[in-house]
């Protein structure tokens, strides 16, 4: 993802990629690599750090922003593993509407909340590009054994 400032004046922006990963079952999925990250959890405002070895999911909605972009492993138990690496972006946003949230999304069949996770590299704060500057953000996804 690239943003070029071809103008004469600086401008500020935020950005993020928005990939969805198809899963067999969210309930059998974990994300590894976030231990010790500071975070902001939309559904638990008291949570400011993630201390667990693995991020696991249940039927509840999940939307948490994790400061930093450490290397992550998305793993479905006994199945595939993906390594996620990001550069340029400053945070990971991880999201799933959960069972109840799926009922409110017209373009998502009610039961499909179990079949995906969104793991987004984002800019957590606005950045400013001066004239002639370029922002580059990447997401690299590789199969992991």
């Amino acid at each position: 993802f690239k943003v070029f400032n071809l103008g004469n004046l600086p401008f500020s922006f935020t950005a993020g990629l928005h990939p969805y990963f198809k899963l067999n079952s969210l309930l059998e999925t974990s994300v590894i690599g976030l231990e010790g990250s500071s975070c902001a959890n939309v559904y638990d405002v008291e949570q400011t750090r993630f201390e667990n070895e693995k991020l696991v999911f249940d039927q509840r909605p999940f939307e948490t922003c994790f400061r930093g972009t450490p290397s992550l492993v998305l793993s479905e138990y006994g199945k595939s593993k993906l390594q996620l690496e990001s550069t340029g972006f400053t945070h990971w946003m991880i999201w799933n509407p959960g069972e109840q949230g799926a009922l409110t999304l017209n373009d998502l069949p009610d039961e499909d909340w179990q079949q995906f996770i969104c793991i987004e590299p984002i800019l957590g704060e606005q950045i400013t590009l001066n004239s002639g500057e370029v922002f580059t953000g990447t997401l690299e996804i590789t199969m992991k054994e």
Side-chain angles (χ1 to χ4, degrees):
F1 180 82
K2 285 192 175 190
V3 177
F4 299 85
N5 185 348
L6 302 176
N8 295 322
L9 299 174
F11 67 84
S12 299
F13 68 98
T14 61
L17 302 178
H18 200 61
Y20 286 76
F21 296 92
K22 183 171 178 9
L23 306 170
N24 292 313
S25 173
L26 178 68
L27 304 178
E28 295 179 4
T29 299
S30 65
V31 177
I32 302 164
L34 295 163
E35 185 174 6
S37 296
S38 62
C39 64
N41 183 332
V42 169
Y43 298 101
D44 181 1
V45 295
E46 304 279 320
Q47 183 184 22
T48 59
R49 279 197 96 56
F50 185 77
E51 299 296 348
N52 299 328
E53 181 182 337
K54 293 179 181 181
L55 174 60
V56 295
F57 306 93
D58 56 26
Q59 78 283 356
R60 294 176 292 179
F62 188 88
E63 186 173 347
T64 302
C65 183
F66 296 90
R67 180 173 287 284
T69 55
S71 177
L72 301 180
V73 174
L74 174 62
S75 176
E76 281 195 88
Y77 303 129
K79 297 178 182 81
S80 64
K81 292 183 182 180
L82 297 177
Q83 177 120 16
L84 309 176
E85 308 258 352
S86 175
T87 61
F89 294 103
T90 60
H91 295 63
W92 289 112
M93 174 66 78
I94 301 179
W95 175 81
N96 181 282
E99 187 173 22
Q100 291 300 311
L103 298 175
T104 67
L105 299 173
N106 294 332
D107 60 347
L108 180 69
D110 293 349
E111 64 282 351
D112 281 5
W113 65 272
Q114 297 180 65
Q115 297 177 331
F116 75 91
I117 188 74
C118 184
I119 303 177
E120 311 175 63
I122 66 169
L123 290 174
E125 296 88 22
Q126 283 190 354
I127 64 169
T128 300
L129 289 183
N130 293 313
S131 180
E133 290 184 327
V134 177
F135 166 82
T136 301
T138 68
L139 173 61
E140 183 177 342
I141 304 165
T142 54
M143 293 295 290
K144 185 174 173 68
E145 305 238 355

